[in-house]
Amino acid sequence: NPQSPIPNPQSPIPNPPLNIIYILFIFIFFIIKTKIYKFKINKYIKIMNGPSGELSMAKKRLLTDFKRINQSEDKDDDSVLATPHDDDIMTWDCVIFGPENSVWENGVFKLIMKFTEEYPNKPPKVTMKTKVYHPNFYANGDICIDILKDQWSPIYDIKSILTSIQSLLTDPNPSSPANIEAAKLYSDNIQEYNKKVKECVEKSIAEAEAEAE
């Protein structure tokens, strides 16, 4: 009978496929999100109900946004995450995962949102902290998207902002570019554009892996 080949102990261990890495990140962020949510929601409810004064209308709205984005039973909600800073409900750390079945898939993109007391009548300041190559993202992380400008409405909340930015990744508007080079490459040579996007995705995964260690 033929014998099974003896594995070489010095053979390199293959890297896990990206979809496994993506699932791992989802699992890790879900656990972190749940723990942070339980701690922070109790903290803010105590503040809201405590004798030290009432929350402003903006902070009450942010508390509602916080409940909505963390209590949803929709599994698709795990593609965007958001939580306020421990000492400042007006500043939020957010994560967008690259849309599935796209060149952005498996990417882990971090953002920061800063609100004023005029929220929700005025939009937050949203900055992409992860470097991305995209027609509608400035080099400093500012985002060119209409709902954060002239198309803003108080009906938008944190979740809708993040999902809109997520959709922008795969549906850029090269006619209103923040990155002229990326817009030109997207229009003239989509293959080369996709290569640059994949480089951004790989770097974002490496950064997320480094932070998880």
Side-chain angles (χ1 to χ4, degrees):
N1 295 330
Q3 294 182 346
S4 300
I6 299 174
N8 183 354
Q10 296 183 346
S11 297
I13 299 174
N15 293 325
L18 286 180
N19 61 332
I20 294 179
I21 296 175
Y22 181 76
I23 293 171
L24 177 62
F25 280 130
I26 288 287
F27 179 71
I28 292 173
F29 274 112
F30 177 78
I31 294 175
I32 294 173
K33 182 178 72 170
T34 302
K35 290 182 177 179
I36 292 175
Y37 169 74
K38 289 180 179 178
F39 170 77
K40 290 188 175 181
I41 199 70
N42 289 333
K43 171 184 174 181
Y44 289 122
I45 287 176
K46 287 179 180 179
I47 294 173
M48 188 172 181
N49 296 331
S52 58
E54 295 183 354
L55 293 178
S56 66
M57 291 302 297
K59 291 184 175 69
K60 287 181 179 179
R61 170 58 187 271
L62 286 171
L63 184 58
T64 299
D65 288 1
F66 187 44
K67 291 178 181 178
R68 184 177 296 128
I69 198 170
N70 284 281
Q71 289 183 325
S72 174
E73 296 180 355
D74 184 354
K75 293 182 179 180
D76 290 338
D77 286 350
D78 280 340
S79 65
V80 297
L81 304 173
T83 185
H85 285 191
D86 285 340
D87 57 350
D88 183 11
I89 198 174
M90 306 298 280
T91 303
W92 289 58
D93 291 319
C94 309
V95 174
I96 291 175
F97 292 100
E100 295 182 356
N101 303 315
S102 77
V103 69
W104 297 91
E105 185 174 10
N106 299 312
V108 185
F109 306 103
K110 298 187 298 180
L111 307 92
I112 189 165
M113 287 191 190
K114 294 187 176 181
F115 298 85
T116 69
E117 292 293 346
E118 294 180 280
Y119 181 75
N121 293 318
K122 290 191 176 181
K125 168 71 173 176
V126 184
T127 304
M128 175 68 78
K129 305 301 290 184
T130 305
K131 293 294 183 182
V132 297
Y133 189 81
H134 189 283
N136 304 118
F137 288 78
Y138 290 95
N140 64 358
D142 287 349
I143 306 168
C144 184
I145 186 171
D146 53 5
I147 69 164
L148 294 178
K149 296 181 177 180
D150 56 327
Q151 296 300 313
W152 172 257
S153 168
I155 65 172
Y156 293 127
D157 60 7
I158 292 171
K159 178 185 172 183
S160 61
I161 294 171
L162 291 175
T163 54
S164 294
I165 296 173
Q166 188 181 51
S167 296
L168 182 67
L169 290 176
T170 56
D171 189 22
N173 179 11
S175 64
S176 180
N179 183 330
I180 296 176
E181 177 190 301
K184 188 174 188 305
L185 195 61
Y186 176 81
S187 299
D188 296 345
N189 193 333
I190 191 65
Q191 289 80 13
E192 286 300 317
Y193 171 81
N194 286 342
K195 286 182 181 179
K196 289 185 175 292
V197 169
K198 289 179 180 178
E199 290 175 3
C200 293
V201 169
E202 291 172 359
K203 288 180 181 179
S204 75
I205 293 172
E207 290 173 1
E209 286 179 327
E211 289 187 4
E213 292 179 353

